Amino acid sequence: MSSITIATLPRISRDALSALLLSTSTPSKLAIVDVRDSDHVGGHITTSTWVPSSSLDYRLPELIRTLADKEKVVFHCALSQQRGPSAALRYARERERVLGEEESKKQEVFVLEGGFVQWQEKYGADERLTEAYVEDIWREY
């Protein structure tokens, strides 16, 4: 049984993630997985892959395969309180099951603190970091 739990999954701040995205050497080693469902409208983090939480189970094998060369994988949803951490946990455990504990340790899996809601508060209007941003949708958050 895996020792990975929601509590042991590392978190990454929006500032640390933005620094990684803006770094010239990091983007090819970084993957961001957005697991929001219908609340995906109004913008997304640059380079992120949208995998609605409702489709995660059947897309896990594909993610493990396509993200194999990444050093860091960051999961998030709107607030990163339920869907994001749950998706990160399922991904990390499945990766460990498929590849083995030693091989799976070669990749760090993170949860974005505060999710897209906190991300867009600071970086929504920054076109280097956020794509398709619609400020009016996020005004009430």
Side-chain angles (χ1 to χ4, degrees), residues 36-44 50 116 132 134 137-138:
R36 292 179 291 161
D37 295 298
S38 62
D39 54 338
H40 183 257
V41 299
H44 56 273
W50 183 35
F116 190 76
V134 181
I137 290 175
W138 296 100

Side-chain angles (χ1 to χ4, degrees), residues 12 14 17 21 31-37 39-40 43-53 56 73-89 109-120 129-130 138:
I12 188 168
R14 63 186 179 186
L17 180 57
L21 281 170
I32 302 165
V33 182
D34 183 339
V35 296
R36 292 179 291 161
D37 295 298
D39 54 338
H40 183 257
H44 56 273
I45 299 171
T46 302
T47 74
S48 66
T49 300
W50 183 35
V51 180
S53 65
L56 183 68
V73 179
V74 180
F75 284 81
H76 79 86
C77 59
L79 298 171
S80 288
Q81 292 178 351
Q82 291 183 338
R83 293 172 294 176
S86 174
L89 179 64
V109 178
F110 295 92
V111 175
L112 175 61
E113 289 177 349
F116 190 76
V117 170
Q118 282 189 12
W119 175 269
Q120 64 82 30
L129 296 169
T130 308
W138 296 100

Side-chain angles (χ1 to χ4, degrees), residues 54-67:
S54 58
S55 67
L56 183 68
D57 284 341
Y58 73 85
R59 292 203 45 200
L60 273 177
E62 168 197 345
L63 282 175
I64 290 167
R65 199 172 49 256
T66 59
L67 303 180

Side-chain angles (χ1 to χ4, degrees), residues 81-123:
Q81 292 178 351
Q82 291 183 338
R83 293 172 294 176
S86 174
L89 179 64
R90 288 174 18 221
Y91 172 83
R93 284 182 174 171
E94 183 65 9
R95 183 174 156 76
E96 183 179 80
R97 186 189 71 75
V98 170
L99 302 176
E101 190 173 343
E102 284 308 307
E103 186 65 24
S104 69
K105 287 182 180 180
K106 293 180 181 177
Q107 183 180 84
E108 294 178 277
V109 178
F110 295 92
V111 175
L112 175 61
E113 289 177 349
F116 190 76
V117 170
Q118 282 189 12
W119 175 269
Q120 64 82 30
E121 287 172 355
K122 187 167 186 179
Y123 299 113

